[in-house]
Amino acid sequence: MRIGIDVGGTNTDAVALDGRAVLAWAKRPTTPDVTTGILQALQAVLQQLQASPEDIHAVMIGTTHFTNAVVQRQALDRIAVIRLGAPATTAIPPLEDWPDDLRAVVAALVEILPGGHQFDGTEIAPLDPHAVTALVTALQTHGVRSIAISSVFSPAVPDHERTVAQWLRDALPDVAITLSHEIGRIGLLERENAAALNACLVSLAQRTIAGFQQALERLGIRAPLYLSQNDGTLMTAEFAARYPVLTFASGPTNSMRGAAFLSGVHDAIVLDVGGTTTDAGVLVRGFPREASFAVEIGGVRTNFRMPDVLSIGLGGGSIVHLEQLTVGPQSVGYRLVECARIFGGTCVTASDIAVAAGRASFGDPARVRDLDPAIVQHLVERIDQQFAELVDRMKLKPDPLPVIVVGGGSVLVPDTLPGASTIVRPPHAAVANAIGAAIAQVSGEVDRVFSLEGRTRDTVLAEARQEAIKAAYAAGAARETIEIVEFEEIPLAYLPSNAVRIRVKAVGDLRGAA
């Protein structure tokens, strides 16, 4: 039996899954400290199950802890960002394009040292051990405890990043080090930004994940803990403590994976309607379509894998302004059960409008019978128009697509929408995100530039596939279940040696988890 937990801005959901069967589920308000909400949702599921903690084989959590920390500029480490690229990359220093307030919070030291490679392994400049020795002194002076290291073309040739990291570990064994080639893709600045974001989250990740583990221990659960990543796969708690940035956007990803699992539809648009926002994404072969462009997190451009998600400020808790006849984007969030009129509050929300229009039935309908029917109808049409525009913006072709609706606020979505071939409402849609966490697989990915000089294309492709399969196995996938789910080949005509960029992703079921 697996436990899946997803922490959203409004609710924390937990489910127990045995194979494809949903044994129990619970939805609890997200708490300010997040961990308490997780504990409450998990306790509610265990009470329904009447099962022994020994029956649980794995616990998977999708959390917004780290995204929120960056967005709110809270609990972040002061970091050093070291780029190995001089003299070729000095025009734009690290963190140059960061928002001023975020840079002021995290940046303790920024340096550009000699190093880096061309894509084919040719050095831009050799490493300078004396410069690294001086760097150690500067790091000690500034009291830096977390470092991000980036190097030109390190996804193709990571040697310089690894060498400097080892020199720093020898001198400063207690300092956390993030290497950019382990997170980002080819582009230097976006990859460097992703590594810097990860470095400023390391201490928070260690504390948070330790808190998750302690919560499980308090409930007698000794099963391994995993966190879901933004590509719909899992990482171990220990790996997540080193790379918390990979949890960004895992919530929408979990919802899309859960929607595919529950509906059996693997190519569709997914609308995840929560209490505050609606996230729209596209399923391709059961996995979220990845963004093909740089993604901003907290105002910082990054290029690591992220789902192609579009969000609007429309959810069950969206505040309705009757005078202006508008819905959202402000929301009562996790205070929906206190504030909405159908629950005894005084605020008119999108949920109140859905109940008044007869589209949903929960709370106390008598508390919204005084709303003018003409105004209610007008607001329902405004809500429907926002959903229709969202579907249209996610489509790449004019043909209608199935639309799967999930999330606690999915009752807001009408039964027909322009551009949708059908509206699919799967069972347990309200907790699709937690189910997505519970069914998550393990992945391995290769994204680097290969030279075809002296080698055939087939040889290079086979090498890339094997590297991805090995990476998935190393991450914990059962070997017999590993398959290649994504493959991309881009000839790079502007580079010598018949260079080609190859991206391969392999996924498999978690070893040992039923």
Side-chain angles (χ1 to χ4, degrees):
M1 180 170 56
R2 291 177 167 192
I3 298 290
I5 301 171
D6 188 271
V7 183
T10 304
N11 291 306
T12 296
D13 303 335
V15 299
L17 211 63
D18 187 5
R20 296 189 63 86
V22 179
L23 303 179
W25 63 273
K27 185 182 286 286
R28 295 291 182 271
T30 295
T31 54
D33 68 344
V34 179
T35 304
T36 300
I38 292 175
L39 199 57
Q40 292 172 347
L42 191 50
Q43 286 174 321
V45 165
L46 292 178
Q47 287 172 0
Q48 293 175 49
L49 285 173
Q50 297 293 312
S52 167
E54 285 75 23
D55 295 332
I56 299 172
H57 296 142
V59 178
M60 293 78 168
I61 295 179
T63 179
T64 58
H65 267 89
F66 311 118
T67 309
N68 292 346
V70 172
V71 171
Q72 298 172 17
R73 279 63 163 143
Q74 293 180 347
L76 303 176
D77 288 333
R78 298 278 289 171
I79 64 170
V81 183
I82 311 302
R83 179 189 299 168
L84 307 173
T89 63
T90 57
I92 302 177
L95 311 187
E96 181 70 10
D97 60 344
W98 281 39
D100 292 341
D101 60 337
L102 181 57
R103 185 170 55 239
V105 168
V106 305
L109 183 66
V110 171
E111 293 280 356
I112 304 178
L113 303 181
H117 291 82
Q118 303 291 350
F119 85 96
D120 59 358
T122 306
E123 281 189 347
I124 294 174
L127 295 176
D128 182 351
H130 300 293
V132 176
T133 300
L135 173 65
V136 169
T137 302
L139 292 169
Q140 292 172 321
T141 301
H142 288 83
V144 173
R145 309 299 301 167
S146 184
I147 303 169
I149 301 176
S150 65
S151 177
V152 182
F153 270 116
S154 62
V157 188
D159 298 9
H160 279 188
E161 284 190 5
R162 290 172 176 166
T163 300
V164 171
Q166 189 57 55
W167 289 348
L168 292 176
R169 287 192 184 99
D170 291 341
L172 304 167
D174 296 329
V175 170
I177 297 176
T178 300
L179 303 182
S180 75
H181 77 271
E182 295 179 334
I183 296 176
R185 293 175 174 165
I186 296 294
L188 173 64
L189 297 182
E190 291 84 0
R191 172 165 43 85
E192 184 174 75
N193 284 343
L197 282 177
N198 189 78
C200 71
L201 289 166
V202 168
S203 295
L204 175 63
Q206 292 171 345
R207 294 194 303 272
T208 301
I209 292 170
F212 292 164
Q213 292 170 322
Q214 290 165 6
L216 295 182
E217 289 175 4
R218 286 167 56 187
L219 295 172
I221 299 173
R222 303 190 183 282
L225 171 65
Y226 299 89
L227 272 75
S228 58
Q229 304 184 70
N230 43 30
D231 67 346
T233 61
L234 296 171
M235 54 184 165
T236 64
E238 293 73 22
F239 190 87
R242 292 174 56 202
Y243 301 107
V245 76
L246 297 178
T247 66
F248 285 5
S250 60
T253 299
N254 287 340
S255 295
M256 284 188 273
R257 290 280 293 140
F261 176 83
L262 291 171
S263 68
V265 180
H266 290 177
D267 293 283
I269 292 175
V270 177
L271 298 182
D272 178 14
V273 190
T276 303
T277 61
T278 294
D279 299 323
V282 178
L283 281 171
V284 179
R285 298 182 62 191
F287 282 85
R289 181 176 72 195
E290 289 192 11
S292 57
F293 44 82
V295 177
E296 284 200 1
I297 305 292
V300 177
R301 285 170 58 87
T302 67
N303 68 348
F304 63 97
R305 63 192 183 201
M306 291 284 282
D308 185 7
V309 174
L310 186 60
S311 299
I312 61 173
L314 175 60
S318 293
I319 297 173
V320 173
H321 299 282
L322 294 175
E323 295 78 13
Q324 294 83 15
L325 296 178
T326 59
V327 183
Q330 296 83 16
S331 170
V332 296
Y334 64 84
R335 297 174 58 237
L336 177 66
V337 294
E338 304 169 19
C339 300
R341 286 180 62 171
I342 53 174
F343 293 121
T346 58
C347 182
V348 178
T349 67
S351 292
D352 293 307
I353 298 302
V355 172
R359 184 170 286 182
S361 179
F362 55 91
D364 183 0
R367 294 187 59 82
V368 291
R369 285 188 185 136
D370 62 319
L371 295 176
D372 185 333
I375 291 177
V376 170
Q377 180 60 32
H378 179 86
L379 291 168
V380 165
E381 291 174 358
R382 294 288 298 268
I383 290 172
D384 293 353
Q385 181 182 5
Q386 291 188 62
F387 285 131
E389 291 175 354
L390 190 56
V391 168
D392 186 62
R393 293 174 65 182
M394 295 306 299
K395 292 170 62 179
L396 299 179
K397 298 178 180 177
D399 301 334
L401 282 174
V403 173
I404 310 169
V405 292
V406 297
S410 58
V411 293
L412 298 181
V413 181
D415 289 334
T416 60
L417 275 175
S421 60
T422 182
I423 301 293
V424 182
R425 300 181 190 273
H428 304 295
V431 289
N433 45 11
I435 290 172
I439 63 167
Q441 295 176 298
V442 178
S443 72
E445 183 174 319
V446 171
D447 180 9
R448 65 184 179 92
V449 177
F450 291 80
S451 171
L452 297 178
E453 193 75 25
R455 297 194 295 174
T456 66
R457 174 176 174 273
D458 288 344
T459 301
V460 171
L461 297 185
E463 179 183 331
R465 287 192 178 95
Q466 282 305 311
E467 285 188 21
I469 290 171
K470 286 181 179 177
Y473 180 76
R479 189 182 297 279
E480 65 276 12
T481 67
I482 298 175
E483 59 177 334
I484 303 296
V485 297
E486 291 181 14
F487 173 80
E488 187 177 20
E489 178 185 6
I490 304 174
L492 302 177
Y494 57 89
L495 293 178
S497 305
N498 292 323
V500 60
R501 176 179 173 182
I502 298 175
R503 187 169 72 88
V504 184
K505 181 176 176 180
V507 302
D509 294 337
L510 187 65
R511 283 197 296 271

